[in-house]
Amino acid sequence: MKIELVQLAGRDGDTAYNLKRTLEAIETCAADTDLLVFPETQLMGFASAEQLHRVAEPVDGPTVQAVLRALRERDVAAVVGLAERDGEHFFNTALLLTPLGVALSYRKTHLWPSERGLFQPGDRFATALWKGVRVGLLICYDIELPETARALGQLGVELILVTNGNMDPYGPVHRTAIMARAQENQAFAVMVNRCGAGDEGLTFAGASAVVDPTGRLLFEAGREECRQVIELDLELLQAARKEYDYLKDRRLRLVGEQNADADDRRELLIP
């Protein structure tokens, strides 16, 4: 499986600019790319309280539809984030989009302090099958809480995809966290972070990364914009779990209602 990490600098509250850059990345991806992964809230940036009501869109809104059209033209999938509007509520949401539509939608469950009061937290974790691989989504601060990735592990995850908006001075925190989340769940993890300057004096840390199921770092970006294709050797999943399997050996399970649908989407609801 070939995954392209698209580490970009965005503009907060400027959907037109962010969408243009997203479509350009899709249009120019390698012919054999299976999946592109973008940073957190790629489509709207980190909208301020004043901007959020203006720029937030539903999942079936025009901006996501534009991305879906581009993906169909290239026959490729992407993980992309947005500020989601659902009625009177707003969510920091990541989507796994394929040429067939929305394969997976995840609302950030653990909000960073500056997001609280703007967004509502999500109420569930979910995984879905894509190209025979069980995929789960997380967003930025989520990965600092080990239970988030463990929830995906409990749902059988093999590939954790993280949209990230981590800023200085916390780059080293997420480097350690993403390696730990992969190793303790014996799954691949791909984290794509924003880079460059943001509003309110923020500087985003870059350092997008790919980690194998043993916690070994396969790729780490610098601080500038970049695009990097990484091919995952899926046989490492079985190799990592050959001698011991953390998910089978654990004695404590996460609580919450667990269910699955006809498309083999699995969910764990937060009680």
Side-chain angles (χ1 to χ4, degrees):
M1 179 182 294
K2 291 188 177 181
I3 299 180
E4 183 169 341
L5 287 69
V6 188
Q7 179 171 292
L8 296 176
R11 291 183 183 173
D12 296 323
D14 191 341
T15 304
Y17 173 83
N18 296 324
L19 175 61
K20 178 176 180 290
R21 301 211 65 199
T22 303
L23 298 180
E24 288 172 348
I26 295 169
E27 291 164 2
T28 58
C29 72
D32 58 350
T33 295
D34 296 304
L35 173 69
L36 299 98
V37 184
F38 292 88
E40 182 180 7
T41 59
Q42 166 65 19
L43 296 176
M44 287 84 184
F46 289 109
S48 66
E50 294 74 22
Q51 295 168 328
L52 186 59
H53 287 75
R54 174 174 56 83
V55 302
E57 296 182 18
V59 168
D60 60 356
T63 301
V64 172
Q65 292 305 308
V67 175
L68 281 169
R69 287 193 296 271
L71 295 174
R72 290 175 183 131
E73 289 177 6
R74 291 306 307 268
D75 192 28
V76 70
V79 173
V80 66
L82 74 153
E84 178 195 354
R85 178 194 290 270
D86 184 0
E88 297 301 313
H89 298 294
F90 300 93
F91 299 91
N92 182 338
T93 299
L95 305 173
L96 171 61
L97 303 175
T98 77
L100 297 177
V102 180
L104 197 58
S105 177
Y106 169 71
R107 293 168 168 174
K108 189 174 185 179
T109 54
H110 293 78
L111 300 175
W112 183 248
S114 62
E115 296 178 300
R116 299 166 193 170
L118 293 178
F119 295 110
Q120 297 293 312
D123 66 355
R124 70 194 62 201
F125 300 94
T127 66
L129 284 176
W130 178 73
K131 291 201 169 185
V133 177
R134 185 156 293 282
V135 174
L137 304 177
L138 294 175
I139 302 174
C140 197
Y141 185 51
D142 283 332
I143 68 169
E144 297 184 41
L145 289 298
E147 294 84 359
T148 60
R150 179 62 90 212
L152 296 181
Q154 191 162 302
L155 297 172
V157 79
E158 297 171 307
L159 173 58
I160 301 169
L161 300 170
V162 184
T163 64
N164 209 22
N166 189 31
M167 75 291 287
D168 291 341
Y170 305 112
V173 174
H174 280 207
R175 187 181 195 273
T176 300
I178 196 63
M179 295 169 71
R181 302 297 84 83
Q183 184 264 336
E184 65 199 10
N185 291 285
Q186 296 172 303
F188 283 101
V190 174
M191 175 181 73
V192 177
N193 196 25
R194 183 172 164 178
C195 61
D199 290 347
E200 300 180 2
L202 296 177
T203 300
F204 293 94
S208 299
V210 180
V211 186
D212 80 5
T214 67
R216 182 169 62 100
L217 195 64
L218 300 179
F219 169 76
E220 184 175 28
R223 295 179 61 88
E224 305 302 321
E225 288 192 346
C226 72
R227 294 171 63 175
Q228 178 72 37
V229 177
I230 294 290
E231 184 169 9
L232 303 183
D233 179 1
L234 299 178
E235 292 184 0
L236 290 175
L237 289 165
Q238 287 70 42
R241 303 174 185 185
K242 182 179 179 181
E243 300 297 332
Y244 53 90
D245 187 324
Y246 291 139
L247 273 298
K248 290 181 179 177
D249 292 344
R250 67 195 165 124
R251 298 177 61 191
L252 184 65
R253 293 179 62 86
L254 296 178
V255 299
E257 180 184 346
Q258 190 166 324
N259 54 55
D261 63 20
D263 295 324
D264 207 17
R265 173 187 166 96
R266 301 173 184 172
E267 293 184 335
L268 179 65
L269 278 62
I270 297 173

